[in-house]
Amino acid sequence: MFLNQLSVFLENREGRLDQVLGTLKNNGINIISLSLADTSDYGMLRMIVSDSEEAKKVLKEAGFSAMLTPVLGVELAHKAGSLQVCLSELSKEGINIEYMYALATSGDDAIIVIKTTDLEKSATVLNKAGVMLVGASEVEG
C-alpha cells in the first residue's frame, strides 16, 4: 500500500548530486520521481526509484547517507480541484501533510507522493473517500 521513498542527505557542495545520480545510473536504478530541497549547508534528495532497497545499498556503499521512508502514492484525475478534494479529506481528520511532490506519469491521471504525520490513518481516510492509492508494483515497474 505504501511506496518506499529513498532519502539521501547531501552536503551542499558542487558535484554531490552528480555523484548520487551517477551511482544510481551505474547500478541500473531508474529514478521515477524526485524532489530536492536545500539549505546553505545540506540538501535532502527524495526519490521514488525502480529498486529502492538496492538503491539504498549502493548509495551507502558509495558513502552517502541514505534511508527508506514509507510514503503514500495518490492517483488523482488531471482536473481542477482534485488535489484540494483529496487533501481536504486528510485535513478534516486532523492529519498534517509533512511534504509532497508529483510523480512522473504518462497516463491521464497524476500521481502525487505524500508524507503525512499518520500514514495508516491517511490511507484509511483516503480509501474511504474513494481516492485511489498506488503501490510500489504500480510505479516501480
Side-chain angles (χ1 to χ4, degrees), residues 2-118:
F2 300 125
L3 300 176
N4 270 332
Q5 173 187 268
L6 177 66
S7 299
V8 184
F9 293 96
L10 297 172
E11 300 90 359
N12 197 358
R13 62 184 171 89
E14 188 175 323
R16 290 302 278 170
L17 178 60
D18 183 54
Q19 292 170 343
V20 168
L21 300 180
T23 300
L24 295 176
K25 178 188 85 172
N26 293 340
N27 286 278
I29 297 167
N30 186 38
I31 299 169
I32 299 163
S33 185
L34 65 80
S35 170
L36 177 63
D38 72 335
T39 68
S40 59
D41 298 324
Y42 69 91
M44 172 61 77
L45 178 61
R46 296 180 173 114
M47 298 176 281
I48 305 297
V49 297
S50 59
D51 186 341
S52 56
E53 294 288 344
E54 181 67 11
K56 176 184 170 186
K57 178 179 151 260
V58 299
L59 286 171
K60 283 188 172 273
E61 288 171 357
F64 292 98
S65 175
M67 64 183 200
L68 296 178
T69 305
V71 293
L72 291 172
V74 179
E75 188 172 327
L76 300 171
H78 269 296
K79 66 178 190 177
S82 293
L83 180 59
Q84 187 277 327
V85 169
C86 170
L87 297 183
S88 178
E89 294 296 325
L90 297 175
S91 180
K92 284 184 225 175
E93 296 295 326
I95 299 170
N96 188 43
I97 308 291
E98 294 181 6
Y99 56 83
M100 66 181 183
Y101 53 95
L103 189 134
T105 61
S106 60
D108 292 334
D109 294 333
I111 299 176
I112 305 297
V113 174
I114 302 176
K115 175 71 168 81
T116 68
T117 51
D118 188 335

